[in-house]
Amino acid sequence: MQRTSLRPALKRLLADVLSDERQFRAILVLDVSRWGRFQDLDQAAHYEYMCQEAGVNRQRQTQSNGSRWTHATVRRTLSNPLYVGDYVFGRKRNNLGLEVAVPETDWVRTKVLDPIIPLEMFEAAQTRLVNCRQLFTNEEILAGMSRLLAEKGVLTHKVIVECHYVSSPATIVQRFGSMVAAYQRIGYDPPKYYPPNPQGRRYTSAELLERLRTLHEDQGFLSVRLINDDNSLPSYNYICARVGGISKILAKMGLPVTAEAQRLATLKRTQRDVVGMPGRFKPRRHRNPDGTRVTNEQLVDHLKRLLSLHGYLTTEIISADPYCPDPQFFRRRLGSMPRAYALVGYAGSRREIAVAAHARSAATKNTKAQR
């Protein structure tokens, strides 16, 4: 058992918590899993229970947006320079779609408000953040998972993420190769869930394909969102594990999986949105019908066509066009939307775009007023 006599800071914390004269109601802890530094998990749980019984954050205070405090949100709060009045930008730069990290010495800092906390306190917190990072051994990670399993009776991604003394699922996968491998190390066999069909039985592959065929006949296409929105079907992930992805599903149903067939499906999906039918589908036109990728020159041609058709350009116009890639694709390939607009002679800077939008809005209001 690890002795608290070797941890004076922890002793002071516990003494303050148990004191009737404490001047605080909650403890802001960067890494709550530091209770787990005790090799004896029962001892760690004991000290954690002492704080809970003393009423520390018994009301389960949440963030301003209503969400729970987590390790990540506490770290972001403690490292946010806005609390000393600074806004930092230029941490990354985009070079024709390639995002590159910028050295900290080249970041741009500007004063935007009065400091909430002293600069010395903020800098001290940053030093503590660097020094308090703890790397758990594989044995400590497995011990934490075993403790969590004993408490909850089940282990899932959500249960692990919400636990303050177990490493994140990403870390577990990195250490052990997969969550299943980690489960096996602690002797845990996760239950398998099979969503039932309307008769209460497990779907057969034939039943899934038949229901998917009916959905395809009704809508003229299949997509991940369309499958997930259908209440009579299991989730797409479940279907994918049973019969494969969209391409394999179409092939098993004897339907074409060519680029032209996908183009027609995209048009049907777009028409479905245009006429106001349910759905939130954005066609992806990142490749030509022959399978080759859309070039930068073709992107510029799309913008020229839309500018000629509408007289101006917006991300909404680009998103609604059935033959055009989505705006994010333009940003990745051309750097930014203002830069893309400038290539076709349209307002290039954000200010010019805002002025043009304001002019269009004023013209629309004047037209309506005249009517």
Side-chain angles (χ1 to χ4, degrees), residues 64-165:
S64 58
N65 61 4
S67 59
R68 296 178 56 184
W69 285 98
T70 66
H71 175 278
T73 54
V74 172
R75 176 174 287 275
R76 283 197 298 268
T77 299
L78 294 177
S79 59
N80 191 340
L82 279 175
Y83 289 101
V84 290
D86 293 340
Y87 182 78
V88 180
F89 58 96
R91 302 175 190 240
K92 296 180 181 179
R93 67 171 181 268
N94 196 307
N95 185 12
L96 294 179
L98 180 62
E99 196 174 75
V100 180
V102 175
E104 185 173 354
T105 54
D106 295 334
W107 292 355
V108 179
R109 302 175 184 270
T110 182
K111 186 69 69 175
V112 295
L113 48 83
D114 294 331
I116 299 177
I117 62 173
L119 178 61
E120 296 77 13
M121 181 183 294
F122 179 79
E123 292 177 343
Q126 307 318 298
T127 302
R128 290 287 300 274
L129 285 175
V130 174
N131 295 335
C132 74
R133 290 178 180 174
Q134 179 184 9
L135 295 178
F136 290 106
T137 65
N138 290 356
E139 291 71 21
E140 289 173 331
I141 293 177
L142 294 175
M145 294 177 64
S146 297
R147 173 187 169 187
L148 181 60
L149 177 60
E151 294 176 355
K152 301 293 186 180
V154 65
L155 291 180
T156 65
H157 184 278
K158 181 179 180 181
V159 168
I160 292 175
V161 167
E162 293 180 349
C163 180
H164 57 258
Y165 56 79

Side-chain angles (χ1 to χ4, degrees), residues 26-317:
I27 301 176
L28 182 62
V29 182
L30 171 64
D31 187 358
V32 187
S33 62
R34 293 178 72 83
W35 297 117
R37 292 177 65 185
F38 293 96
Q39 296 180 0
D40 187 335
L41 296 181
D42 292 334
Q43 184 183 8
H46 167 70
Y47 292 120
E48 183 178 354
Y49 179 75
M50 289 172 61
C51 290
Q52 292 176 351
E53 283 299 294
V56 178
N57 201 21
R58 178 177 291 171
Q59 297 178 355
R60 301 293 182 184
Q61 296 293 331
T62 61
Q63 302 180 62
S64 58
N65 61 4
S67 59
R68 296 178 56 184
W69 285 98
T70 66
H71 175 278
T73 54
V74 172
R75 176 174 287 275
R76 283 197 298 268
T77 299
L78 294 177
S79 59
N80 191 340
L82 279 175
Y83 289 101
V84 290
D86 293 340
Y87 182 78
V88 180
F89 58 96
R91 302 175 190 240
K92 296 180 181 179
R93 67 171 181 268
N94 196 307
N95 185 12
L96 294 179
L98 180 62
E99 196 174 75
V100 180
V102 175
E104 185 173 354
T105 54
D106 295 334
W107 292 355
V108 179
R109 302 175 184 270
T110 182
K111 186 69 69 175
V112 295
L113 48 83
D114 294 331
I116 299 177
I117 62 173
L119 178 61
E120 296 77 13
M121 181 183 294
F122 179 79
E123 292 177 343
Q126 307 318 298
T127 302
R128 290 287 300 274
L129 285 175
V130 174
N131 295 335
C132 74
R133 290 178 180 174
Q134 179 184 9
L135 295 178
F136 290 106
T137 65
N138 290 356
E139 291 71 21
E140 289 173 331
I141 293 177
L142 294 175
M145 294 177 64
S146 297
R147 173 187 169 187
L148 181 60
L149 177 60
E151 294 176 355
K152 301 293 186 180
V154 65
L155 291 180
T156 65
H157 184 278
K158 181 179 180 181
V159 168
I160 292 175
V161 167
E162 293 180 349
C163 180
H164 57 258
Y165 56 79
V166 175
S167 299
S168 67
T171 300
I172 295 174
V173 171
Q174 183 181 19
R175 294 290 189 91
F176 302 100
S178 67
M179 294 302 298
V180 174
Y183 291 158
Q184 291 175 347
R185 293 283 295 272
I186 62 174
Y188 175 59
D189 184 19
K192 295 178 174 60
Y193 171 70
Y194 302 106
N197 61 16
Q199 290 73 39
R201 303 189 307 271
R202 181 185 178 187
Y203 278 100
T204 65
S205 297
E207 287 177 327
L208 291 174
L209 290 174
E210 184 61 30
R211 183 66 191 90
L212 291 167
R213 184 187 299 277
T214 302
L215 184 61
H216 185 274
E217 292 173 353
D218 291 342
Q219 304 297 333
F221 67 97
L222 286 179
S223 70
V224 175
R225 183 66 62 82
L226 186 62
I227 293 174
N228 284 334
D229 284 349
D230 192 303
N231 294 329
S232 66
L233 278 171
S235 69
Y236 172 77
N237 287 339
Y238 176 81
I239 292 176
C240 187
R242 289 288 303 279
V243 296
I246 299 294
S247 297
K248 288 187 178 180
I249 291 172
L250 295 175
K252 290 180 179 180
M253 293 192 301
L255 298 173
V257 197
T258 61
E260 180 63 18
Q262 296 299 316
R263 186 185 72 82
L264 292 176
T266 296
L267 289 177
K268 291 180 181 179
R269 187 170 62 210
T270 305
Q271 293 168 357
R272 184 176 188 259
D273 291 338
V274 170
V275 298
M277 296 180 65
R280 304 175 298 280
F281 304 98
K282 172 63 179 77
R284 292 187 176 275
R285 300 290 294 139
H286 299 171
R287 291 188 178 274
N288 296 307
D290 60 0
T292 59
R293 286 186 66 82
V294 174
T295 65
N296 289 358
E297 291 74 17
Q298 289 177 303
L299 293 178
V300 173
D301 289 340
H302 279 304
L303 294 177
K304 289 180 179 178
R305 174 176 58 83
L306 294 177
L307 181 59
S308 175
L309 180 64
H310 298 278
Y312 63 94
L313 293 173
T314 66
T315 55
E316 289 78 12
I317 289 178

